[in-house]
């Protein structure tokens, strides 16, 4: 059966009258069950089911964020986990989603940031972003959102003047350790376990992103925002490393009714303490972080709630995104 927003109506005829009960089904796309986004989706679905009358939410196992956007565009999911760049391009009908119908997918809530890691080791010949040109670069596996971010970065740095290796992060780390690539790119939540492993055996370097490069990048891709990987996140990297990232969070279909989204958003925010027991990322989530990285408009139901609780910068966000 299609996963899209469904209204199940149960009618029992009693003489000339009928009794009707309706549930809105909300399918939240995530990733394979072993990944963090599935845990997040399941926790949010549980909170919604416990606190919002008339909604039956489920966490749906999917192939990942890229698949989630396609499923939402086809009306097979009402909400999903996604990075804010994919969400922005899908809303605008640009980039990887050029030619698709714009405006169908709206911002909902940022859960945790993902940071661009430019990873190398001592002796690689890479000490700056510009040094990536002409090098052997690990890009992430096909179908993954991190590879899309790597494509954006390398197009700006080197055009086609580099040798790409499109493999998983674990494989990239092994290749770095063995000297088979010069650097690896990965946009993910820190700390990254494979990078911790690399730092234990090699002299790890994380390449900083300077302000001028970031400003040029953000002008072309508004969802990217500035952040740093804190010092001592990885062994041997003592200082903060300036970089950039995206929101790792929830997007929602424009077709879901405003009242439903308002009630669901309220339920999540009033239960962040409980959700922190599901995953620690929810313990860092607040009204100060909920808009981080989004470049597409908010769903009206979410916007209404965020205005009520006084999310900092909400009106500037509305003006900037045209929401």
């Amino acid at each position: 059966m299609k996963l899209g927003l469904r209204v199940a109506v149960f009618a029992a005829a009693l003489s000339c009258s009928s009794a009707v009960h309706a549930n809105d089904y909300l399918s939240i796309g995530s990733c394979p069950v072993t990944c963090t986004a599935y845990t997040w989706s399941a926790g949010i679905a549980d909170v919604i089911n416990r606190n919002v009358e008339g909604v039956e939410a489920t966490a749906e196992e999917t192939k990942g964020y890229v698949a989630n956007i396609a499923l939402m565009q086809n009306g097979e999911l009402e909400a999903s986990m996604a990075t804010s760049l994919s969400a922005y391009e899908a809303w605008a009908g640009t980039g990887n989603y050029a030619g698709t119908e714009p405006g169908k997918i709206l911002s909902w809530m940022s859960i945790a940031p993902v940071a661009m890691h430019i990873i190398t080791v001592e002796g690689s010949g890479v000490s700056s972003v510009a040094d990536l040109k002409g090098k052997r670069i690990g890009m992430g596996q096909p179908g993954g959102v991190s590879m899309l971010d790597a494509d954006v970065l390398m197009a700006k740095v080197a055009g086609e003047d580099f040798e790409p290796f499109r493999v998983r992060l674990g494989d990239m780390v092994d290749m770095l350790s063995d000297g088979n690539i010069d650097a690896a790119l990965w946009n993910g939540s820190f700390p990254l376990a494979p990078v911790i492993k690399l730092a234990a055996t090699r002299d790890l370097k994380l390449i900083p992103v300077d302000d001028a490069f970031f400003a040029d990048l953000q002008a072309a891709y508004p969802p990217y925002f500035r952040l740093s990987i804190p010092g001592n996140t990885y062994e041997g990297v003592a200082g903060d490393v300036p970089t950039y990232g995206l929101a790792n969070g929830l997007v929602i279909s424009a077709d879901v009714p405003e009242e439903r989204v308002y009630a669901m958003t309220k339920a999540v925010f009033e239960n962040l303490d409980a959700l922190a027991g599901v995953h620690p990322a929810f313990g860092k989530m607040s009204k100060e972080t909920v808009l981080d990285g989004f470049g597409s408009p908010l769903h009206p139901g979410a916007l209404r709630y965020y205005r009520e609780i006084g999310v900092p910068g909400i009106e500037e966000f509305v003006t900037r995104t045209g929401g």
Side-chain angles (χ1 to χ4, degrees):
M1 178 180 290
K2 182 180 177 183
L3 295 177
L5 186 63
R6 306 160 297 219
V7 177
V9 179
F10 303 93
L14 298 174
S15 301
C16 296
S17 64
S18 63
V20 177
H21 172 71
N23 272 348
D24 286 346
Y25 289 82
L26 187 94
S27 296
I28 305 173
S30 57
C31 58
V33 293
T34 55
C35 77
T36 299
Y38 185 86
T39 302
W40 290 349
S41 298
I44 288 171
D46 182 63
V47 162
I48 290 171
N49 291 336
R50 291 175 182 271
N51 294 278
V52 182
E53 185 177 354
V55 176
E56 185 176 331
T58 57
E60 303 284 353
E61 181 182 18
T62 68
K63 293 182 179 179
Y65 287 12
V66 174
N68 290 347
I69 295 294
L71 290 167
M72 286 191 70
Q73 288 180 318
N74 293 335
E76 297 179 67
L77 293 171
E78 293 75 60
S80 79
M81 295 292 170
T83 66
S84 50
L85 179 59
S86 294
Y88 173 78
E89 290 184 339
W91 169 77
T94 60
N96 293 291
Y97 302 96
T100 63
E101 182 182 349
K104 296 177 70 173
I105 298 174
L106 300 176
S107 302
W108 191 2
M109 63 183 73
S110 175
I111 296 174
V114 293
M116 175 55 76
H117 290 63
I118 306 175
I119 309 156
T120 189
V121 294
E122 290 292 343
S124 67
V126 178
S127 297
S128 69
V129 172
D131 290 338
L132 296 171
K133 186 175 182 179
K135 298 296 195 297
R136 301 166 300 169
I137 308 296
M139 304 287 285
Q141 75 270 28
V145 291
S146 193
M147 191 191 77
L148 302 180
D149 294 312
D151 285 340
V152 167
L153 174 60
M154 291 309 298
K156 188 162 288 291
V157 172
E160 297 182 0
D161 185 8
F162 68 101
E163 186 178 357
F165 292 81
R166 302 185 184 277
V167 296
R168 297 179 304 120
L169 177 59
D171 294 330
M172 291 195 295
V173 163
D174 290 341
M175 294 172 75
L176 263 176
S177 183
D178 295 339
N180 294 321
I181 59 175
D182 302 304
L185 308 178
W186 191 265
N187 206 3
S189 298
F190 48 81
L192 298 169
V195 180
I196 292 174
K197 175 185 172 183
L198 178 65
T201 59
R202 296 293 305 271
D203 292 329
L204 176 70
K205 292 171 61 178
L206 294 180
I207 304 303
V209 176
D210 64 39
D211 289 340
F213 182 86
F214 172 71
D216 189 40
L217 182 72
Q218 190 187 44
Y221 299 93
Y224 287 127
F225 67 100
R226 203 69 157 124
L227 79 165
S228 293
I229 300 170
N232 298 312
T233 297
Y234 301 103
E235 182 181 348
V237 183
D240 293 354
V241 180
T243 184
Y244 60 92
L246 293 168
N248 192 350
L250 273 170
V251 295
I252 191 161
S253 169
D255 293 334
V256 181
E258 178 180 337
E259 287 298 325
R260 286 294 189 223
V261 178
Y262 171 84
M264 293 188 295
T265 308
K266 186 174 189 289
V268 170
F269 266 77
E270 290 182 349
N271 288 276
L272 287 177
D273 288 345
L275 282 166
V278 175
H279 192 278
F282 291 111
K284 300 177 183 178
M285 187 176 162
S286 69
K287 65 182 183 181
E288 283 76 23
T289 67
V290 72
L291 299 180
D292 282 354
F294 280 123
S296 50
L298 283 163
H299 191 287
L303 173 59
R304 179 176 144 203
Y305 180 73
Y306 296 155
R307 278 175 165 155
E308 281 186 9
I309 65 172
V311 166
I314 186 66
E315 299 308 329
E316 184 278 330
F317 179 89
V318 171
T319 300
R320 173 167 53 85
T321 61

